[in-house]
Amino acid sequence: MNIQWYPGHMTKAKRAMKEDIKLVDLIIELVDARVPLSSRNPDIDELGRQKARLILLNKADLAGEKGNDAWISFFESQGIQAVKVDSRSRAGLKQIQAAVAEACREKIERNRKRGILNRPVRAMVVGIPNVGKSTFINSYAGKASARTGNKPGVTKGSQWIRLNKTLELLDTPGILWPRFESREVGLHLAFIGSINDEILDREELAAELIKLLSQRYPEVLPGRYGKEVQGGTHMTEAVAALEGIARVRGCVLKGNEYDLKKAANLLLDDYRSGRLGRITLEFPQGAGSVKEERETCQ
Ligand code: G4P
């Protein structure tokens, strides 16, 4: 499966974001906690040079707790503050204020020495499509925040939101496009639903997910769909598991043929929504056993 797709409007969006970044002190980068590396954009290191950085492991509710902790340690070992959050339920949002202060410590200290006190840190949120930027901004800014009105950002229609005395947030997130460095990265992004499904063969994608789950979380498929859906790491076993899901869930076409497309959609939706449990698909090198990771969130 060849996953390559670069929408034309991204070039324009990136240019606008470059201008917005000039206005901020801090870049808050959202990544998907299930695939924190695949959901990053390598351009951000270049775009964010000279700026304070904070990484939010968003959708932490869908990823394993041990995986989340391993990634926090990993990013901190790289000198980048990181916080795990669930923007939908607002879990973890309270820790952000302290992380912002830590990420911007040098800047705040420099200002203090120059007699500039109480100047709010200005931040913008960036990330790839569907990572949860809008949800995060809505949850974090909430109702209490006020639009400052007089200082537009560069992106058309964008505004600063004053969150409190110490932090202002640009209300328009910067959209980055992931770079498909490898087939694996493309697959990870497709599994979490971050790339346009229409360009993908759903059955093949589901079969690849079955292979990965069977290798790392062998109890997940039988746990969800029953003993007859064991999966396996070979394509033939994965297709057999997909047929098993079709059988168990009654995905049958006229003439009693299995509707594998429907079964594939069912599996992918179950994974994306967390119905298969909290599953991290990517770990920092050297992190502990993946098999111990699974925690059920139902
Ligand atoms: P974007 O601006 O980066 O493109 O992403 P957006 O906020 O639109 O979020 C994309 C999807 O991810 C939304 O689901 C949103 O609810 C979900 N989401 C965002 N943050 C979290 C999180 O921390 N945990 C979980 N579990 N989900 C999160 P959707 O199905 O597209 O929309 P909706 O059904 O929620 O309205």
Side-chain angles (χ1 to χ4, degrees):
M1 187 175 357
N2 186 20
I3 305 170
Q4 285 291 348
W5 189 61
Y6 193 92
H9 65 270
M10 288 311 303
T11 314
K12 210 170 140 204
K14 193 170 145 191
R15 214 177 303 130
M17 190 174 64
K18 239 179 178 165
E19 293 304 310
D20 275 338
I21 282 179
K22 289 183 188 157
L23 305 175
V24 304
D25 310 302
L26 171 71
I27 296 178
I28 300 177
E29 181 190 357
L30 260 69
V31 300
D32 189 302
R34 293 165 294 177
V35 288
L37 283 191
S38 297
S39 59
R40 293 192 79 192
N41 173 306
D43 291 342
I44 194 65
D45 287 330
E46 172 70 25
L47 290 165
R49 248 196 343 231
Q50 322 283 357
K51 303 288 175 185
R53 305 273 294 279
L54 171 63
I55 288 184
L56 299 183
L57 285 179
N58 194 41
K59 308 196 187 184
D61 55 307
L62 298 176
E65 202 53 51
K66 282 187 191 155
N68 289 342
D69 291 339
W71 281 109
I72 297 284
S73 306
F74 172 82
F75 287 122
E76 286 181 352
S77 75
Q78 313 255 307
I80 303 179
Q81 287 289 309
V83 177
K84 54 186 168 187
V85 296
D86 167 1
S87 295
R88 217 141 59 171
S89 77
R90 299 166 186 249
L93 297 187
K94 284 204 180 107
Q95 290 169 45
I96 293 177
Q97 189 69 24
V100 166
E102 182 57 29
C104 297
R105 198 153 47 111
E106 277 176 29
K107 167 100 185 174
I108 294 167
E109 189 59 21
R110 240 185 356 256
N111 279 347
R112 201 181 57 80
K113 283 191 179 137
R114 287 156 66 200
I116 305 169
L117 299 173
N118 302 327
R119 177 185 286 176
V121 167
R122 286 191 182 169
M124 84 177 279
V125 173
V126 304
I128 65 168
N130 208 36
V131 74
K133 298 176 293 300
S134 312
T135 310
F136 168 72
I137 291 175
N138 286 338
S139 292
Y140 195 55
K143 288 189 189 113
S145 59
R147 260 144 236 274
T148 58
N150 55 350
K151 294 175 298 182
V154 172
T155 310
K156 206 164 168 229
S158 65
Q159 291 282 305
W160 293 95
I161 314 172
R162 179 163 301 147
L163 296 183
N164 52 47
K165 270 193 241 148
T166 58
L167 186 62
E168 286 183 5
L169 196 67
L170 198 59
D171 69 355
T172 311
I175 306 169
L176 289 165
W177 198 246
R179 203 178 283 162
F180 302 118
E181 285 154 350
S182 63
R183 181 171 181 271
E184 195 188 15
V185 169
L187 283 173
H188 286 165
L189 294 168
F191 292 151
I192 64 166
S194 257
I195 51 179
N196 191 341
D197 272 332
E198 304 304 310
I199 61 163
L200 300 167
D201 179 332
R202 285 295 198 104
E203 289 159 49
E204 197 180 338
L205 187 62
E208 292 292 349
L209 181 60
I210 289 171
K211 280 162 64 182
L212 190 60
L213 290 174
S214 303
Q215 188 189 343
R216 297 191 171 168
Y217 300 87
E219 74 288 9
V220 164
L221 293 174
R224 174 81 184 162
Y225 304 108
K227 281 203 295 283
E228 57 185 296
V229 182
Q230 288 297 334
T233 53
H234 293 288
M235 200 39 128
T236 45
E237 294 169 317
V239 172
L242 201 55
E243 285 172 356
I245 295 172
R247 194 164 48 241
V248 171
R249 293 301 165 99
C251 309
V252 184
L253 294 166
K254 268 192 213 143
N256 264 352
E257 207 183 311
Y258 291 126
D259 188 345
L260 294 186
K261 192 166 181 196
K262 196 166 173 192
N265 285 335
L266 200 138
L267 172 71
L268 291 166
D269 283 351
D270 278 352
Y271 173 65
R272 290 171 186 169
S273 61
R275 284 191 292 271
L276 294 184
R278 299 179 62 177
I279 294 176
T280 303
L281 293 178
E282 190 175 63
F283 287 81
Q285 267 187 353
S289 161
V290 190
K291 284 187 182 149
E292 292 164 18
E293 278 297 320
R294 182 169 184 264
E295 294 137 51
T296 309
C297 61
Q298 296 154 357

